[in-house]
Amino acid sequence: MADEKDAVSAGDQALADEWAAALNEAGEGGQGDIDALLAADAAQQPKGARLPMEEFGTPPKPVENFGLEGPNLDVILDIPVMISMEVGSTEINIRNLLQLNQGSVIELDRLAGEPLDVLVNGTLIAHGEVVVVNEKFGIRLTDVISPTERIKKLR
């Protein structure tokens, strides 16, 4: 037990010594050093050469990195997103939730045969119907929401 405490304290001491050496190497700079650097910088700049400060609320300057075919989307093409299909939803109180067991039926807010919602990262992007592909469920998109409509729903 005593050996473990000595080993830990020796390791802590070594780390403290490294920090102390690094701080001594860096020197002790105070406000005077900062003021001297600012004064030297101001002396190098001609009078009135400061750039005007941009006010908050002004739109940023547009970046012109568009090619003939539009913006370069290669940067974001490999970002993974979560896609999910929503059959329907409902609200129930906790009492009824705790009473659920195998064989319970929960009534949803959708009619049978109504299209499913296709969500990407929780945002509705399309509607579709369930299909079977190679013995697995899939979805056939029946209606894709336009990008402008998606942006309107975000606001």
Side-chain angles (χ1 to χ4, degrees):
M1 257 333 217
D3 293 336
E4 288 179 18
K5 287 183 181 176
D6 291 340
V8 171
S9 63
D12 290 344
Q13 185 60 42
L15 184 61
D17 292 342
E18 286 181 40
W19 274 103
L23 289 172
N24 286 337
E25 223 175 83
E28 296 211 14
Q31 186 63 38
D33 293 335
I34 295 171
D35 292 339
L37 287 171
L38 289 174
D41 187 42
Q44 290 177 353
Q45 298 288 335
K47 267 288 199 221
R50 287 190 173 179
L51 295 174
M53 223 176 169
E54 291 185 34
E55 291 187 25
F56 293 112
T58 59
K61 297 174 184 168
V63 178
E64 298 295 329
N65 60 353
F66 291 88
L68 295 175
E69 59 280 338
N72 183 3
L73 297 178
D74 292 339
V75 178
I76 63 169
L77 291 179
D78 291 328
I79 297 174
V81 295
M82 178 62 71
I83 186 167
S84 59
M85 288 23 134
E86 187 175 283
V87 176
S89 62
T90 191
E91 284 188 21
I92 63 172
N93 57 34
I94 295 175
R95 176 178 287 107
N96 292 343
L97 178 67
L98 293 173
Q99 293 173 352
L100 293 177
N101 55 30
Q102 188 172 353
S104 296
V105 176
I106 301 171
E107 185 178 347
L108 301 177
D109 62 353
R110 296 270 175 99
L111 298 173
E114 211 174 324
L116 307 178
D117 289 340
V118 179
L119 306 166
V120 173
N121 287 345
T123 302
L124 178 68
I125 62 142
H127 298 286
E129 58 188 23
V130 177
V131 294
V132 177
V133 180
N134 296 332
E135 299 179 9
K136 293 185 179 181
F137 286 115
I139 189 161
R140 177 181 294 124
L141 301 180
T142 57
D143 178 36
V144 178
I145 297 174
S146 70
T148 55
E149 287 297 317
R150 283 182 252 159
I151 291 170
K152 284 180 186 175
K153 287 184 180 184
L154 289 175
R155 292 181 181 167

